[in-house]
Amino acid sequence: MLILGLESSCDETAAALVTGDRRVLAHRLAGQEAAHAPYGGVVPEIAARAHVEALGPLVEAALADAGVTLADVDAIAATAGPGLIGGVMVGLVTGKALAHAAQRPLIAVNHLEGHALSPRLSDSDLDFPYLLLLVSGGHCQLLLVEGVGRYRRLATTIDDAAGEAFDKTAKLLGLGFPGGPAVERAAAEGDARAVPLPRPLLRSAEPHFSFAGLKAAVARVVGQYEPADIAASFQQAVIDCLVDRTRKALGTGGEVTALVVAGGVAANGGVRAALQALAGEHGLRFVAPPLWLCTDNAAMIAWAGAERFAAGLTDPLDVAARPRWPLDPAAEAVRGAGVKA
């Protein structure tokens, strides 16, 4: 089985070719950091235009890298949401065109499912069900991953995602964009105990996450402490919240094979170390994808496509792009923003 995957949901344009036995034959990615850096965040219109320019050449390059043609591909997998709708539409329309031209099935992939299944691309021993902390720029959720297309949401953010808080903190401290790596680098030089910052919902009976108050607290202390100390204290506050909420989920989610983390914030070394320790406390395997597979990429979309294709799940060419697309549509609404559930 050979799947061509396309990703364009935010500010990374990517194309990859992945086999059903977990071989990444090619992966091409074009970032947009320079285009968005002056604004301190992703500008949707700039991102969409960049996807239009980059995606076609990336597909051609990925096919060449793998030494195959479109005719050798068994299916086309493209992110169909959630994400910035302009970018999502670019990738999905491209996927539809390629599927129609090659007379191959189309697989419309939920970007969150790409993250949720990505650990199975790098770890062939990871079996269902597992507890997943999906933590990224737009989402922060705890999910029981029971199988392909079968997800039970245990917790979500009631306001901001952890990745959003990282980006905002980086902007407040003048650390540059993207914010997550910038904060982690600054934190390595700071004292995590220097700045008193809140831990929203820590030890709360409520299962969910909240990072808006922490983000606001950072804004209030800028100028009063050294930037490195603020970065370190902020990062530790996020880690404390993630570990506390994950520990709560481990007590209520039933039997699982592993504790898994995925998404862009999963590339943070402090987050990974703390979750690995938590898994050890519960006698569980800890699984995290390699760093390149944590951030947005097309290999995870191709792999999710491979898992869905193997399960007989394909989509018609009129499938719609979706700015919002929960993995667990049956999950009850939460207080607060709720739209990221």
Side-chain angles (χ1 to χ4, degrees):
M1 184 198 307
L2 180 61
I3 307 296
L4 171 63
L6 310 177
E7 161 60 19
S8 61
S9 64
C10 191
D11 62 333
E12 307 283 0
T13 316
L17 287 148
V18 175
T19 68
D21 59 355
R22 295 179 168 81
R23 289 180 294 134
V24 180
L25 300 187
H27 186 260
R28 287 288 185 127
L29 183 145
Q32 303 175 11
E33 289 88 352
H36 300 290
Y39 309 98
V42 179
V43 181
E45 179 64 19
I46 292 175
R49 290 177 180 273
H51 291 312
V52 171
E53 296 174 358
L55 191 52
L58 288 178
V59 171
E60 293 179 352
L63 290 168
D65 290 347
V68 300
T69 69
L70 195 59
D72 298 314
V73 172
D74 292 298
I76 315 293
T79 299
L84 302 177
I85 192 62
V88 172
M89 290 174 66
V90 171
L92 183 57
V93 168
T94 301
K96 290 178 179 182
L98 293 172
H100 178 70
Q103 291 297 290
R104 294 293 187 269
L106 173 72
I107 304 166
V109 175
N110 185 314
H111 180 82
L112 302 182
E113 185 168 43
H115 280 303
L117 297 177
S118 63
R120 284 173 49 83
L121 172 58
S122 58
D123 189 335
S124 60
D125 294 326
L126 179 58
D127 294 324
F128 303 118
Y130 51 86
L131 179 66
L132 170 69
L133 173 61
L134 175 52
V135 56
S136 67
H139 298 271
C140 190
Q141 302 180 17
L142 282 159
L143 297 153
L144 184 61
V145 181
E146 299 174 323
V148 178
R150 296 167 51 212
Y151 307 95
R152 182 154 61 90
R153 196 203 73 200
L154 305 179
T156 187
T157 178
I158 64 173
D159 42 56
D160 294 339
E164 288 179 90
F166 268 97
D167 286 341
K168 181 64 173 181
T169 295
K171 188 172 184 178
L172 288 168
L173 296 177
L175 299 177
F177 176 83
V183 170
E184 185 175 11
R185 287 192 297 269
E189 306 297 325
D191 181 356
R193 298 166 296 179
V195 184
L197 292 174
R199 271 73 170 160
L201 296 181
L202 193 74
R203 292 184 289 276
S204 167
E206 185 174 5
H208 303 301
F209 300 91
S210 171
F211 294 102
L214 174 58
K215 187 176 68 176
V218 169
R220 290 193 293 270
V221 300
V222 171
Q224 301 179 38
Y225 298 88
E226 290 297 319
D229 289 340
I230 296 175
S233 299
F234 162 79
Q235 179 174 271
Q236 189 59 53
V238 171
I239 290 171
D240 291 347
C241 292
L242 293 177
V243 169
D244 179 72
R245 304 289 80 195
T246 304
R247 178 180 285 112
K248 182 174 181 59
L250 284 170
T252 60
E255 294 296 321
V256 294
T257 64
L259 172 59
V260 179
V261 64
V265 181
N268 181 285
V271 169
R272 291 166 84 99
L275 291 171
Q276 185 169 20
L278 178 63
E281 292 175 15
H282 288 78
L284 290 172
R285 289 183 64 217
F286 174 69
V287 179
L291 298 186
W292 74 271
L293 201 52
C294 291
T295 52
D296 291 351
N297 64 87
M300 72 177 190
I301 302 303
W303 176 249
E307 294 245 44
R308 294 185 68 81
F309 190 56
L313 302 172
T314 61
D315 296 280
L317 291 181
D318 62 353
V319 64
R322 302 172 66 171
R324 302 289 183 190
W325 189 1
L327 279 179
D328 181 5
E332 63 178 331
V334 300
R335 68 182 179 90
V339 295
K340 294 170 186 172

